Amino acid sequence: MKKIPEADRSHRLRISHVLGVAMLAACIISTEGFSQGRTGTRNALVSASDGAGKYTGPGSCASSSCHGSIQPRIENRVLQNEYSTWIVKDRHSRSYAALTSNIGERMAGILGLGKAESAPKCLACHALNVPPAERARTFDLSEGVSCESCHGPASGWLGPHTERDWAHEKSLSLGMFDTRNLARRTEKCLSCHLGSEEKFVDHEMIAAGHPDLYFELDSFSAVMPRHWKEPGEPGASAGSDPWYDVRELTTGQAVQLRQSLLRLASRTRGKNWPEYSELQCYACHHSLTPPEQSWRQAHGYQGRRPGDPPWNASRYAVFREVVHQMDGSTAEKLDAEILRLSRLMSQLNPDRDAVAAAASNSANLAQELSVKINSAPYDPAMTMRLLQKISADADEIAGQGEHAAAQAAMTLQSLFVAYDRNEKMPNSSGLRSTISGLFQLLENPSAYDPARFARQMRQVNALLR
């Protein structure tokens, strides 16, 4: 597993604490110890009668000789402690339990859903809620977001994939999801951490108590924590990519932008329009101050009428620097489309058709970029340029609000960790502390101060020179 210095690990864990987004619920029960009761004496093997394409449950992976080892194995390609990591450290394993908490039940009551643990709207992301015909006899809905939520139904490849000469491609042909593909992995994460037409968090759910959704692939993977080996990590084979996690970061942001734009386009067809969760939450939900102390009034209302809440463009605010490094001509086109979309969305009653067209055009450009970004070479110079460019754009990013600031903090943290691991920053401790300070300024989003956040970003930039 990727070795992250203890201090960096604690700062990355701050993402979970500050933003409340390591899982979709803010209220999750405390970590349980390794529980044999989750699997009990359940047979880990699925009988042939269960058939291919069925979901078998995490107990099928829990044997110590498979993925249930307490300690990671260094002699094999896989760590073999993946199940142990999931059940002890990963909040996904407790996602279903969040539905039975006081907050979960209260939210369901406000939304008129009955019991949260049986409401399809909640189960869509808090459990692996597949049709009964696709559940093997060992499957249990209450096990939350488990192995097959990401890796696909295991019954077809569960036994064969342990064979010595078994190829990964064979597992894919039998139903395994290709998480090695960064774009597809991001899409899988975003199916809940952003949402789709089938499962989503909208303004109604946020009003009932559900946290708003943030995401950044590399940061969230570290907080998860990772239970897989990646190219470039210590002990990886010769010739592997030491800057793989920078690729993970940039590809993840490209896919996130594309998916968010496609979601916006689809929401224009909904009965509730405009959908307020697409806007900047804290433009309305913030601590009130005397007018002379209002940074929002001082910042102005460029491109919109005072009183009209602005669109949440945070998924482009920071990623824009990556785009301009990779493809200047496409970046200019995307800048123009995003600006047009932002002005459309920052009206009190946005034109559905115009928004859908602008969002679709922007999504197409984001798709073009995601392919280039995923295949681009990454090295110390590129990583340092991104660190410097993003931290230098302090006033612009900070002025776009809390969501953009959160994206900046996560991105700078990820890039710093990657660079420091491979090249060793001469002022590593100072940078680590200063980047940590960005997260501290986000602990109370309602009282967010862009001037303070911009000053902190400039301190990061000064340390990078």
Side-chain angles (χ1 to χ4, degrees), residues 154-210:
S155 61
W157 46 266
L158 183 62
H161 89 293
T162 63
E163 297 173 6
R164 183 178 299 274
D165 297 322
W166 185 260
H168 176 63
E169 290 69 25
K170 291 183 179 179
S171 293
L172 298 181
S173 69
L174 292 172
M176 179 182 281
F177 188 85
D178 189 10
T179 56
R180 297 183 187 180
N181 182 308
L182 278 177
R184 296 208 68 202
R185 185 195 306 177
T186 308
E187 291 169 359
K188 175 65 74 172
C189 297
L190 289 173
S191 66
C192 280
H193 287 279
L194 173 70
S196 63
E197 291 190 25
E198 293 77 27
K199 44 188 182 180
F200 53 84
V201 171
D202 57 11
H203 191 252
E204 181 184 24
M205 292 181 69
I206 294 171
H210 199 291

Side-chain angles (χ1 to χ4, degrees), residues 439-453:
F439 290 100
Q440 294 170 16
L441 295 175
L442 296 170
E443 290 182 348
N444 181 5
S446 180
Y448 170 74
D449 183 343
R452 292 181 63 195
F453 193 86

Side-chain angles (χ1 to χ4, degrees), residues 35-47 50 55-63 83 86-87 135-144 146-148 158:
S35 172
Q36 294 293 339
R38 294 291 294 268
T39 58
T41 58
R42 177 175 56 187
N43 186 352
L45 298 178
V46 181
S47 70
D50 282 319
Y55 293 84
T56 64
S60 301
C61 311
S63 167
Y83 175 87
W86 171 76
I87 200 168
R135 303 177 187 182
R137 288 175 293 173
T138 53
F139 179 89
D140 188 341
L141 186 69
S142 68
E143 288 174 306
S146 57
C147 313
E148 292 164 299
L158 183 62

Side-chain angles (χ1 to χ4, degrees), residues 287-426:
S287 299
L288 296 178
T289 62
E292 62 272 16
Q293 297 177 13
S294 172
W295 69 263
R296 290 175 173 82
Q297 291 178 339
H299 186 266
Y301 306 92
Q302 185 177 7
R304 63 189 175 95
R305 188 193 65 149
D308 291 352
W311 178 50
N312 174 19
S314 62
R315 295 180 178 90
Y316 189 58
V318 179
F319 178 59
R320 179 178 182 273
E321 301 294 346
V322 177
V323 173
H324 278 267
Q325 289 294 313
M326 297 292 180
D327 188 335
S329 61
T330 306
E332 291 180 2
K333 295 177 185 176
L334 188 53
D335 279 348
E337 287 292 342
I338 292 291
L339 179 60
R340 176 169 173 261
L341 179 59
S342 181
R343 287 176 173 170
L344 286 167
M345 282 296 296
S346 298
Q347 299 173 10
L348 193 59
N349 292 296
D351 183 287
R352 292 178 185 244
D353 293 337
V355 168
S360 297
N361 290 340
S362 300
N364 290 336
L365 290 170
Q367 170 59 22
E368 290 180 27
L369 285 164
S370 71
V371 175
K372 294 179 181 179
I373 286 170
N374 191 27
S375 60
Y378 292 89
D379 56 23
M382 170 62 80
T383 306
M384 179 55 73
R385 279 199 303 274
L386 290 174
L387 277 164
Q388 292 173 336
K389 290 286 187 181
I390 293 168
S391 58
D393 202 14
D395 290 320
E396 177 65 22
I397 292 172
Q400 293 191 50
E402 299 81 348
H403 292 84
Q407 290 290 324
M410 289 188 288
T411 301
L412 290 171
Q413 174 71 27
S414 291
L415 291 170
F416 163 73
V417 169
Y419 192 95
D420 193 49
R421 186 186 67 243
N422 289 299
E423 296 293 313
K424 301 301 177 188
M425 293 273 194

Side-chain angles (χ1 to χ4, degrees), residues 38-272:
R38 294 291 294 268
T39 58
T41 58
R42 177 175 56 187
N43 186 352
L45 298 178
V46 181
S47 70
S49 63
D50 282 319
K54 288 197 174 185
Y55 293 84
T56 64
S60 301
C61 311
S63 167
S64 60
S65 60
C66 294
H67 298 285
S69 174
I70 300 300
Q71 297 296 326
R73 307 286 179 83
I74 60 173
E75 69 275 10
N76 298 326
R77 183 182 60 79
V78 295
L79 298 167
Q80 290 191 247
N81 70 335
E82 293 83 1
Y83 175 87
S84 304
T85 299
W86 171 76
I87 200 168
V88 174
K89 299 179 179 180
D90 192 336
R91 293 189 183 187
H92 289 96
S93 69
R94 301 182 298 284
S95 57
Y96 180 89
L99 301 180
T100 63
S101 69
N102 291 336
I103 291 179
E105 295 293 1
R106 186 180 69 186
M107 283 176 55
I110 292 172
L111 295 169
L113 299 176
K115 289 289 187 181
E117 62 267 31
S118 59
K121 192 181 187 85
C122 304
L123 292 172
C125 282
H126 282 264
L128 183 52
N129 191 27
V130 296
E134 297 177 17
R135 303 177 187 182
R137 288 175 293 173
T138 53
F139 179 89
D140 188 341
L141 186 69
S142 68
E143 288 174 306
V145 177
S146 57
C147 313
E148 292 164 299
S149 300
C150 298
H151 296 287
S155 61
W157 46 266
L158 183 62
H161 89 293
T162 63
E163 297 173 6
R164 183 178 299 274
D165 297 322
W166 185 260
H168 176 63
E169 290 69 25
K170 291 183 179 179
S171 293
L172 298 181
S173 69
L174 292 172
M176 179 182 281
F177 188 85
D178 189 10
T179 56
R180 297 183 187 180
N181 182 308
L182 278 177
R184 296 208 68 202
R185 185 195 306 177
T186 308
E187 291 169 359
K188 175 65 74 172
C189 297
L190 289 173
S191 66
C192 280
H193 287 279
L194 173 70
S196 63
E197 291 190 25
E198 293 77 27
K199 44 188 182 180
F200 53 84
V201 171
D202 57 11
H203 191 252
E204 181 184 24
M205 292 181 69
I206 294 171
H210 199 291
D212 193 12
L213 302 183
Y214 298 77
F215 184 75
E216 192 278 289
L217 180 62
D218 185 64
S219 297
F220 275 47
S221 296
V223 170
M224 193 175 181
R226 285 185 176 92
H227 54 262
W228 61 90
K229 295 180 180 180
E230 287 184 342
E233 68 182 59
S237 59
S240 61
D241 183 5
W243 301 95
Y244 180 85
D245 42 358
V246 181
R247 187 185 315 281
E248 180 182 45
L249 165 75
T250 56
T251 302
Q253 290 202 344
V255 175
Q256 176 179 206
L257 176 63
R258 183 196 71 202
Q259 294 299 104
S260 68
L261 292 165
L262 292 174
R263 182 190 66 175
L264 173 57
S266 72
R267 278 180 163 175
T268 62
R269 301 189 297 269
K271 66 177 182 178
N272 294 323

